[in-house]
Structure formats: C-alpha cells, structure tokens
Amino acid sequence: MSVALCYLFPPVILMYIRDKILGDRIKCNFHGSAMDFLREYLLSACFLNFTVLAVNYLLLHHNDSVEVLISGYTSFTVHYLLLSFAIAAAEPVLEYFIRYHVRVELHAVRIHVRTDLLLYAYSFVLVLMNLIRIFDRAFWGDEGFTIRLPKMSVGEMISATGADVHPPLYYLLAQLLYHLLGDKGYTWHLTAVLPYVAIVILGCTVIRKIFGTVPAAVMITMSSLMKKAVMHNAEVRMYALAAMFILIAYIAYYKIIEHNRPGSWILFCISSLGAAYTHYYALISVAFLYVMLIPLAVKEKQYRKGLLISALTAILSYLPWLMILVHSFERTANYWWVGDIPGIYACFQFLLDYRWLIVSFFICLLVFVMYQKDWLNVHVARTGKWKDRVDIDFRLSERTAMNDKLYWVGSGLASICGTIAVGLALSYAVRPFFLTRYMFPLSAMLYLIFGVCISEMKFAGLWCVLLIAAILRCNIPAYIQTYESDHHLDEATDEFLEAVQPDSNAELVTDNRELGWTLLEYYYPHNVSKYDEDAPTNLDSDYNDIWLIWEDELDENAIADIEGQHYTAEESYEGDFADGLYYYVYQLHRNQ
C-alpha cells in the first residue's frame, strides 16, 4: 500500500499545482477529458518517479530496491514522499519562469522535436553508461582464458581454441585489439563493447529506417540495460559479438523476404558465417534461419537460387572448422563440467529479467499475430465521448496466409525456440551441454521482435514509452549496483596487487581452480603459479618462497603441516580479488 502511495499519489499533486500555476496560460488536463487526464498523469508519473529515483540512487547512494526500502523503513517512505512533493511543487514554478520570464531573441525559429535526434541522444547516453565500465582490470576465469589466447601466435591461438569449445573469430578480434592497444584492461573489454556499440548504431540507422523509431528504441534500450546485457556488453567473452552477427543476419533475412536482392543474400551469408565462427550455439541459431527459408524457396522460385548459393557457400566456408567441432563434441561428450539443465522459462528469464516482461512480450506477440492475421481491428475516432472513441473488432477472418512481416517474426521465434530445443535435446540425450548464457547471442534479435510487435499496435508510441519507462525504473538501480560492485572490485584488486608482490623466484599456489587456471598467470606473469588444494600438506620443495592464496583462513593443523615441512607461514593480506572472492594470502619462507 505504501509503495502504491509513493508512486501514484504525488503525480496528482504535480498536475494540480501545474494546473493552478499554468492552467490559465496553457492547456493543462487536470480538469480535461478522462483520456487527456490519463495521458498527462502517466507522463507526470514517469517524470516524477524517475527524477526521485535518480536522486536517491545517484546522489544519495541508496543500494536496496525502492520497494524494500519503502516497505521496511517508514522514514524512507516519508523521505520519498517529501522529495516527490518538493519536485512536484518546484517543476511548475520552474516551468512558469522558463516559459514567461526567459526570452531568447530568435527570428522565425520553430521548435520541432525530431525523433531521430532524440533517439541519437538517448542512445549516446546508454552507450556512455556501458562504456565507462571498461576501465578496470578485475577479471574472472573465462575472461582470463580469453586474455591468454590473443598473446599467442595466430596458429597457436587457433589450435588452443580448437582444443577448447569455441570457434576462433572472437579471439582474432581480441588479438587485433591487443596488438593495436596493448595489454590494457580497456583493450579486453572493448572486444565486447565494440559489438554492442555496433548493435546500437544499427538500431539508430538501419533498424529505425526499416522498422521505425519504436522498434529501434525498444531494441536499443533492452540491449543496453537488461541485466545480462549490462554484464555481457563489457565482459571479455564472445557473446556480444555473436549477438551482433545474428542481428545483422536477421535484418538481412528481412530484406531477403522483402526484396530478394543479391546484396541481402551476401550480407546474410557473411553475417551467419560470422555468428557460426563466433559461438557454436550461434551456429545453431542461424542454421534455423536457413531452415525457415526453405518453405519460401519451395513456394516461390525466386528464392531458390539465392538460398542454394548462400547455403552452399556457408557450408563450404565452415567445413575447415567442422571437423574440429566434431572432435570437440566427442571430447566434451565424455567430460563436461556443466551439471544442471536449465528449463525453457529460465532461458526466457535470462533474456527478459522479469516475469512481467516475459508476460508482456508474449501478450504483444499475440496481439501482433492477431493484427497480422486480421483477427483484431482497433479503430479510434477523433470525435465523440472518450469511452465511445475506441472500437475493438475481433473476428476470425478467412485470411490464413502469412504476410512477410509475420513470417519474419515467426522465423526469428523459430530460431530462438530451436536453439533452446537443440540445447536441451543434447543435454538430455548425451550430457548437460546447455547454459542459459548461450542464449545471449539471440538477445538483440528477440528485443527487435519485441519492438516490432509493439510498433504494429494502436497507441504504439504510448506503449513504447511505458515499456521503456518500466525498464528504466527496474534496471537503472540494477545498473548502478553493478557499476558500484565493479568499481569496488577493481579497487580491491588494485589493493591486492599492491600488497601481494612476490619475488620473481617465488611460486604462487591457490585452492581456487579458476584463479590457478588463468588469472594468476595474467596478474603475475613472471611467477610460476598453479592450482593445488592440498598444497599445505605437500609443498613444492623446489621453491624457498611460496605464496598461498587461499579461500579459507588456514587453521592450526594446516599451519602445523606447513611448519613440519620446514617452512614458516606469515599471513600477508586478506581481501577481495579479481573474480570477486575473498582470499587469505600467506607468505611461506623456507627455514635456513
């Protein structure tokens, strides 16, 4: 109740004060029709709550969700309401002052809101929010593996990733940036940020031109602020690059259906190959797009030549890596570290964060299908009472054929569901092979489908604003929390590296598998490092100095075991380190 009071009541106060101060000069809708009142109320609620939340999280540094703070702390509820009332009172006064007491001497100037410039400015802010997160050097195990490979020669790198479970294209990009920019934290983060920026640029240009501003704005917002997007847009992994290639392939797929031009086929073939050479599950995703082109080619001859040439080119171009994929599958079929198999709901929750957003997506998809099949028609009259202006007509029409846009959306959903189906089928038939993060390459395509479905609805602009406002409301606090967590971990990593400075002749040993696998090699390249959880009972006698980086504090028995091997143990440091875990560091000296 208190949450609803804080969110819903102050906008009424804002509208009332604005009507009292400006009502005689401009058209305020406090006493207007119900539809006008609702429209202004929604805008006032979005503005007021967004402003109050920004003040709380950015200036006052609150970390918990607003619902928890309001429900659990009466003082915060009072604080939220007072701040809302203060802004509600200040906004009309400030607006009155700007409107009628600030003069700008310009001749023949007309103010016209250009949605493209507004989208550019909005996208720039979102890109900046993701870009400022690249200046750290706190990595986890898989990121350390990524950083290791580009430092090899091209041949060694391709051999190493072939022996692992990933194609080489992403590592070639990382290698290029490494040779251009050097071994810097931002160099490695750029391998994910640059594909994300390309996705945003595609949204502002190609997607906006083909589908309109609404799909572009939805796709850009979700690709920038969804929780997993915030993570993978800066993580030193290949998922953002795969998402970029799949999005390009999906746009080219639409142009193939629309115009069937050679350039669209070439782009589709190249981008699908890029996806396949970036991640194996991205290969499955684009393969389903090829499969969905087969019915078109069977039905209409004009698609057959393009499909045949494109498919043969893709297959022949992927053959050099296909045998490596087969060997990788045979090896991982006998041993793979994944334990649990995710459900279908978990896959969609990974991409859409919240139950309400999943439900919203499928509702919009259903309405989109009903519009395209002519089962639903909504007519809005310009005159008459507001309750009589909207006429909703629902009927089952005789039209059963799919139009181009409906088939395109269906093909994208087939790619998403097909990828999930293949991953789950392999996991149940052989062994668990599928993680929810393997869905991220499909994220931008899913968000584009979401935006296109909204754009086909009546009042599309209003639904778009409400959706984006809701996402901002939910995910800006999550972004801030992620940013602060990254910043804290980066500072902790710097403190760790400053405190733990072993001699080049010392050995580093840890009981954390990922730390010993890649990270110690990255942070301490001049030292021998290894993973050995039994080290206290079996020290390496080849070294006079050994540093133990341990997840748990050593007990008396462990200290006794170390001393029994003629070493003295001194606790040197404790604190968070690169992968976010808390470590105890011990410096061992051999007794002379």
Side-chain angles (χ1 to χ4, degrees), residues 10 19 38 40 113 191 195-196 266 271 273 307 386 396 430 477 492 498 508 558:
D19 181 71
L38 179 61
E40 185 170 331
V113 178
T191 60
Y196 155 70
I266 293 172
S271 55
L273 273 171
L307 177 59
W386 67 270
L396 292 177
V430 184
E498 185 176 348
L508 305 180

Side-chain angles (χ1 to χ4, degrees), residues 419-447:
T419 302
I420 296 174
V422 171
L424 295 182
L426 288 174
S427 297
Y428 282 110
V430 184
R431 63 177 300 117
F433 275 116
F434 189 56
L435 294 170
T436 52
R437 70 167 177 255
Y438 298 159
M439 293 295 298
F440 188 77
L442 292 160
S443 60
M445 181 171 71
L446 178 68
Y447 303 152

Side-chain angles (χ1 to χ4, degrees), residues 69-205:
L69 292 171
I70 292 176
S71 301
Y73 302 95
T74 304
S75 60
F76 183 83
T77 304
V78 175
H79 154 79
Y80 194 98
L81 285 172
L82 290 176
L83 185 57
S84 298
F85 292 150
I87 296 174
E91 191 282 334
V93 175
L94 182 62
E95 184 180 355
Y96 178 86
F97 177 80
I98 293 175
R99 281 178 179 271
Y100 303 112
H101 295 277
V102 176
R103 292 185 178 180
V104 180
E105 296 295 331
L106 296 176
H107 299 285
V109 173
R110 297 182 64 186
I111 298 176
H112 177 66
V113 178
R114 290 184 54 183
T115 56
D116 56 342
L117 296 181
L118 190 62
L119 182 64
Y120 297 157
Y122 174 66
S123 301
F124 176 79
V125 173
L126 294 180
V127 168
L128 191 62
M129 289 172 63
N130 284 271
L131 197 61
I132 61 176
R133 295 180 53 238
I134 72 173
F135 301 99
D136 73 80
R137 53 174 182 162
F139 303 108
W140 66 289
D142 282 5
E143 289 181 303
F145 180 78
T146 296
I147 294 170
R148 173 197 289 173
L149 264 61
K151 297 178 181 180
M152 305 176 181
S153 67
V154 174
E156 291 173 336
M157 183 270 291
I158 292 177
S159 177
T161 189
D164 191 55
V165 289
H166 294 296
L169 185 57
Y170 169 76
Y171 299 108
L172 288 171
L173 171 64
Q175 193 172 58
L176 174 63
L177 292 175
Y178 168 67
H179 288 300
L180 288 175
L181 303 175
D183 188 2
K184 307 292 184 182
Y186 59 80
T187 300
W188 308 117
H189 288 299
L190 281 174
T191 60
V193 170
L194 289 179
Y196 155 70
V197 172
I199 289 173
V200 174
I201 292 174
L202 284 171
C204 290
T205 54

Side-chain angles (χ1 to χ4, degrees), residues 270-281:
I270 293 174
S271 55
S272 60
L273 273 171
Y277 269 105
T278 302
H279 196 270
Y280 290 140
Y281 276 95

